[in-house]
Amino acid sequence: MRNTWDVIVIGLGAMGSAALWQLSRRGARVLGIEQGSIGHALGSSHGGSRIFRMAYFEHPDYVPLLRRAARGWSEIERASQTRLMNQCGLLYGGMTGSKVIAGVKDSARMYGIALDVVNRRDLGERFPVFAHSCEPMSEYLFEPGAGFVRPERSIRSFVRVAQRSGAHVRERTRVDHWEESGVRVEVHAGGVVETTKQLVICAGPWMAHCAPQFAAPVVNTRQVIGWVSSHDPVSATSYQMPAFFMEREAGEPLYGIPTAHDQDPPYGVKIGIHGDGSVCDPDSIDRRVHAHETQELEAIMQRVAPGAAGPVTASAVCMYTNTPDGDFVIDRVPQSHRVTVAGGFCGHGFKFAPVIGELLAEIALAGSTTLPTGFLKRDRFDRA
Ligand SMILES: Cc1cc2nc3c(=O)[nH]c(=O)nc-3n(C[C@H](O)[C@H](O)[C@H](O)COP(=O)(O)OP(=O)(O)OC[C@H]3O[C@@H](n4cnc5c(N)ncnc54)[C@H](O)[C@@H]3O)c2cc1C
């Protein structure tokens, strides 16, 4: 059977599900194809929570996109009648002049983002779980508007609302390949050939498999996350504890997200090391978490936030898809007017999902976007 669609979206993880929503609300006839189930735990978008922050140390050009994303999060919460955001604030810790501390301050100054300087002597009183921290930070900054968002709930919400607007979805169907021919693109998936005017590829860690033209700039890494059963569980809830992103004297930063009052299991404070993963392939990655990995997380948590430390009682493996410069890559396939790829979200993309969906919908339906995304184009790697 042959169908012709305005747009097909490959991959309904964070970005593909958001694109499906943004396309369907613009009236496009759209099909989403996902190899797993909606909200599955084998890609980059599982684990119950993702930090949302606005004072962006990675690059101030992300801030206008984040403002738009924040609006999108409110819209999808309203449309799906589902709570997705928790504004518990975020504490950054690091050394004066470091990339994180200097970058957070620059973005906050440039865009008027509220940011409190927290003196080290006031830290324990204001945020008791960080009292007696033995990581020697020289500066702490608190962003009250930050917090976290729920990945699986968000993906299910995007898909549900899109389906209500007429989007079609094929779950548990892997796209084998696609080819552009004249004015159409043919997509081969599960023994069926679908034809479409526009193709959007949001394959996350499978990006190099689905869009070989983008293979060279991306590398997947294996990332371990753990849930800490804190000795004082009340202090570790989002009522009392902020999310945090802490540089360390030795090693990559530790981030953490407090327990939410309406948390889906597993329970506890979620922690992980930002960076530090081994290179992996999504189809052969080691998905077991080893004792030495949970022990390392426990030890680092004890140093950074002793008041919320405790044993790691649950853990999971997830994947980052990294570009050489740490910035996303969103662009047409070279020489194509019909195929757009969004990937390389480098362990910090989830919070952007609604705005990435919006710009993918604009590119697919209008040929370009008005959103300021020039710094995310693919040809920056050819020039490097
Ligand atoms: C441990 C961890 C912590 C993170 N923390 C944060 C954070 O705090 N804040 C933040 O903003 N970001 C964070 N991120 C990053 C963020 O989660 C990712 O950037 C984002 O989820 C990437 O979304 P994606 O749509 O590119 O990939 P995914 O959500 O993995 O989606 C890709 C989808 O494509 C499907 N697919 C692939 N190939 C095919 C095919 N051939 N046919 C059909 N379907 C296919 C896959 O099954 C998958 O569902 C974190 C990531 C990890 C791993």
Side-chain angles (χ1 to χ4, degrees):
M1 191 180 110
R2 267 174 182 254
N3 284 314
T4 299
W5 303 93
D6 291 332
V7 188
I8 289 180
V9 179
I10 301 179
L12 298 180
M15 308 308 167
S17 63
L20 194 80
W21 170 53
Q22 296 283 11
L23 285 158
S24 65
R25 72 198 298 216
R26 287 164 172 75
R29 194 171 134 65
V30 57
L31 169 69
I33 308 178
E34 167 55 51
Q35 65 184 358
S37 55
I38 302 302
H40 68 83
L42 299 173
S44 296
S45 299
H46 54 283
S49 53
R50 291 289 186 273
I51 289 172
F52 185 97
R53 53 192 165 83
M54 192 79 81
Y56 226 61
F57 63 81
E58 286 87 346
H59 199 310
D61 287 1
Y62 282 111
V63 179
L65 297 176
L66 282 163
R67 291 211 157 129
R68 193 79 164 233
R71 223 163 62 199
W73 285 117
S74 302
E75 287 168 4
I76 189 65
E77 278 190 323
R78 272 197 305 277
S80 64
Q81 295 287 297
T82 307
R83 185 158 185 248
L84 303 173
M85 298 286 282
N86 182 318
Q87 195 184 328
C88 59
L90 182 127
L91 184 70
Y92 303 88
M95 302 308 282
T96 304
S98 72
K99 181 177 180 206
V100 172
I101 294 297
V104 166
K105 285 180 174 170
D106 283 351
S107 281
R109 197 178 312 115
M110 280 173 75
Y111 288 98
I113 299 163
L115 197 64
D116 301 344
V117 175
V118 182
N119 290 323
R120 196 176 164 108
R121 64 177 179 280
D122 301 334
L123 182 69
E125 195 173 329
R126 189 149 176 205
F127 303 113
V129 300
F130 297 99
H132 315 298
S133 165
C134 4
E135 279 292 332
M137 318 276 177
S138 56
E139 284 199 46
Y140 292 97
L141 302 168
F142 179 65
E143 184 184 332
F148 59 93
V149 61
R150 310 301 181 84
E152 295 91 341
R153 285 187 201 179
S154 304
I155 290 169
R156 292 193 187 107
S157 296
F158 288 137
V159 170
R160 204 170 59 244
V161 175
Q163 286 177 308
R164 233 166 48 202
S165 304
H168 288 239
V169 169
R170 287 175 64 193
E171 272 182 86
R172 299 183 189 83
T173 305
R174 189 166 194 161
V175 171
D176 302 314
H177 67 283
W178 55 268
E179 58 208 10
E180 206 172 333
S181 59
V183 294
R184 296 275 183 274
V185 184
E186 291 192 340
V187 177
H188 299 247
V192 177
V193 182
E194 308 272 4
T195 63
T196 181
K197 295 174 194 158
Q198 291 286 324
L199 177 64
V200 169
I201 301 176
C202 298
W206 288 267
M207 172 163 141
H209 298 210
C210 287
Q213 303 84 343
F214 285 66
V218 298
V219 173
N220 295 314
T221 54
R222 176 180 172 278
Q223 305 295 142
V224 172
I225 44 181
W227 283 262
V228 172
S229 173
S230 308
H231 297 305
D232 177 3
V234 176
S235 303
T237 62
S238 57
Y239 295 121
Q240 297 193 26
M241 179 181 171
F244 65 88
F245 190 94
M246 298 284 177
E247 292 187 297
R248 292 187 297 134
E249 195 174 33
E252 306 280 4
L254 182 78
Y255 63 85
I257 300 175
T259 313
H261 71 280
D262 59 346
Q263 187 151 325
D264 303 315
Y267 301 108
V269 176
K270 191 179 107 178
I271 56 171
I273 297 170
H274 186 57
D276 212 25
S278 53
V279 173
C280 66
D281 180 276
D283 290 325
S284 59
I285 181 175
D286 179 4
R287 293 188 182 274
R288 289 163 306 168
V289 176
H290 303 277
H292 70 89
E293 294 173 317
T294 52
Q295 283 157 8
E296 185 191 11
L297 286 176
E298 284 167 3
I300 298 171
M301 183 67 174
Q302 181 63 47
R303 287 179 61 78
V304 170
V312 168
T313 49
S315 56
V317 168
C318 197
M319 282 172 279
Y320 284 0
T321 302
N322 298 302
T323 60
D325 57 11
D327 291 321
F328 315 153
V329 55
I330 302 171
D331 211 342
R332 294 273 204 204
V333 162
Q335 272 83 54
S336 169
H337 297 293
R338 302 194 176 277
V339 185
T340 309
V341 179
F345 289 99
C346 302
H348 64 105
F350 196 89
K351 61 184 82 60
F352 293 86
V355 70
I356 302 295
E358 190 175 351
L359 76 92
L360 287 171
E362 286 184 2
I363 295 171
L365 300 179
S368 63
T369 176
T370 51
L371 293 162
T373 54
F375 71 114
L376 304 178
K377 287 199 165 300
R378 188 200 157 279
D379 66 3
R380 71 185 192 271
F381 301 116
D382 301 335
R383 283 184 259 113

